[in-house]
Amino acid sequence: MTSTVTLENSHSIYDQLSASLSQIRSAYSKDPDTSYDTRISRLKRLHTALLEYKDRLITAVNQDFSNRASAETMMAEILPVLEGIRYNKKHLRKWMRQSTRHTPMMLLGAKTKVHYQPLGVIGIVVPWNFPIFLGLSPLVGAFAAGNRAMIKTSEFAPQTGLVLEEMLNKHFAAEEVMVVNGGVEVASEFTRLAFDHIVFTGSTQVGRIVMRAAAENLTPVTLELGGKSPAIIHDSFPIEEAAKRIAFGKGLNAGQVCVSPDYILVPKNKVAAFARAFTEQFSTHYPTLRDNPDYTAIITERQRDRLLDNLNDAREKGATVEVINPANENFDGTRKLPMHLVTETTSDMRVMQEEIFGPILPIIGYDSLEDAIHYVNDRDRPLALYYFDWDNRRGEKILRQTHSGGVCINEVMTHTMVDDMPFGGVGPSGMGHYHGKEGFLNFSKAKGVVIKGKLDANSLIGAPWNNKYFNFFVNFQLRRFKKF
Ligand code: NAD
């Protein structure tokens, strides 16, 4: 089996990728009505492949990060893909069923239904931060909906890209799924291909470029982007408990998570208490950092420099920056970066303008809950919003008065792990949804079908229009519509 695109210099990258897409599309065209059994077989092979390669994938991600806690790769990448496969397998037959629909009186004698059809070939573009999950989770949805796929891995997770390539090569034919490894120039050509759908996971900035490229082919896109996901803590909520729950999530992947809490809104008089409690919690999870395999490093030197520059920018503009470095270690020569708490922020600071995506946490004091809501609504719609309050009524109010891709109440991040809910951003944090049934629908064409029976009402009510059947029909309808 071959499923790799080897990009040779002799042909342009675009031509080679285009030839690969044609190969997959032509296989799809020969068998466009992907059966339930084929879909299950693909999900099953992915399941088997993942179990076989899990250790190698964990090692590869660890190499790419220079240190990624293996528990994090298991918990946030391998297990959620397996869970997603199981969920899709369980519900697939039901989702694939054509659904009968209500037929309007105008179509008397006809039946209507919706047929869910595979789109064809899905292009999947993967970021570096969860290079397994964000490649394979869209693939699960694409396979369940009967599609084939090409996956462009991230150039910043090259070892993982190679293992994914080998794994999918071994368990799938080239016409089912292909892995494309390579840099930005490859990614850029990849998104110019006339896929039937593109799922792009990455930054808002690159999302704009991808959508522009897809527009040339009128290829629909699902954009899974980033943004600044706030956590709001209500005055009545125990600050230590909030800090504990937030510290667990923020420590994961050293904050390099699209749904990581980006900044915290706490009542003004609790900023210091939150900082203290967060520091204590974080230090309990990570008593040392430098050589601690549980604490993940920053993916590249460049990303680490970006984070340090943003901290300097905040300091220069008057912020207070506290480093949580429990064992007082030196991080020279490593890509580890300790957690930083930033207070006394102003909106012109880069930490308050750009997505943080690392171990930095600004804490902002608010006067009233209304002010906190206003603060969030004044900014780009985030990918996630977290609210800490035992009062359900106020929780509902936050749900209704703010926009975000998803919400956790008294919790952070775990909404991404629920297969029975759609996942996706809104506005600058993304468009479209996948996971579970929404993933199936996202990667299917819902085709409306009218089936006319032997009775052909048109033959009675058609032109010349001023006939008695037509007049009867119109009068009857208008009587029906007399009231709202
Ligand atoms: P990125 O946008 O730099 O890159 C993502 C992918 O796009 C990579 O595969 C890259 O090769 C490709 N790419 C780069 N330039 C391109 C171009 N000009 N044309 C086409 N493709 C191009 O993002 P990243 O740094 O890898 O990941 C971090 C970002 O991803 C953060 O903003 C984060 O919030 C977001 N993210 C979102 C989700 C989500 O599910 N919403 C999940 C993880 C990460």
Side-chain angles (χ1 to χ4, degrees), residues 82-97:
L82 291 169
E83 187 78 47
I85 291 172
R86 171 163 293 193
Y87 186 86
N88 275 267
K89 176 182 162 226
K90 183 164 175 213
H91 296 278
L92 186 57
R93 209 182 270 287
K94 181 174 66 202
W95 295 339
M96 282 178 69
R97 250 178 237 143

Side-chain angles (χ1 to χ4, degrees), residues 230-244 246 263-278 341-345 352 361-373 375-376 386-388:
I232 307 173
I233 304 171
H234 189 261
D235 199 17
S236 62
F237 196 88
I239 206 79
E240 291 79 14
E241 188 61 29
K244 185 169 127 200
I246 292 171
Y263 63 93
I264 312 291
L265 287 162
V266 281
K268 254 190 185 134
N269 60 355
K270 292 190 173 162
V271 170
F274 178 82
R276 257 195 320 275
F278 184 93
L341 298 180
V342 186
T343 50
E344 312 292 332
T345 59
M352 290 321 300
L361 188 62
I363 311 168
I364 298 153
Y366 68 78
D367 287 317
S368 68
L369 187 58
E370 297 305 323
D371 290 339
I373 294 174
Y375 189 95
V376 171
Y386 307 120
Y387 181 60
F388 291 81

Side-chain angles (χ1 to χ4, degrees), residues 84 87-88 91-92 94-96 116-117 119 122 137-138 140-145 147 197 199 221-222 224 405 415-416 418-425 431-446:
Y87 186 86
N88 275 267
H91 296 278
L92 186 57
K94 181 174 66 202
W95 295 339
M96 282 178 69
Y116 300 96
Q117 187 166 38
L119 290 170
I122 313 293
S137 175
V140 170
F143 275 166
N147 300 282
H197 192 105
V199 190
V221 288
T222 302
E224 298 288 345
H415 62 300
T416 56
V418 184
D419 284 294
D420 202 10
M421 294 201 301
F423 178 75
M431 65 176 69
H433 298 101
Y434 75 115
H435 290 196
K437 181 162 187 193
E438 278 77 9
F440 175 84
L441 293 175
N442 193 36
F443 300 124
S444 299
K445 164 66 191 152

Side-chain angles (χ1 to χ4, degrees), residues 197-269:
H197 192 105
I198 290 178
V199 190
F200 168 81
T201 308
S203 60
T204 301
Q205 192 191 357
V206 178
R208 283 201 178 90
I209 301 174
V210 169
M211 192 167 172
R212 226 174 277 137
E216 282 298 315
N217 300 310
L218 289 181
T219 296
V221 288
T222 302
L223 299 180
E224 298 288 345
L225 310 177
K228 295 185 77 63
S229 300
I232 307 173
I233 304 171
H234 189 261
D235 199 17
S236 62
F237 196 88
I239 206 79
E240 291 79 14
E241 188 61 29
K244 185 169 127 200
R245 296 178 185 207
I246 292 171
F248 174 80
K250 184 73 186 180
L252 214 90
N253 216 25
Q256 302 166 102
V257 187
C258 58
V259 289
S260 193
D262 191 281
Y263 63 93
I264 312 291
L265 287 162
V266 281
K268 254 190 185 134
N269 60 355

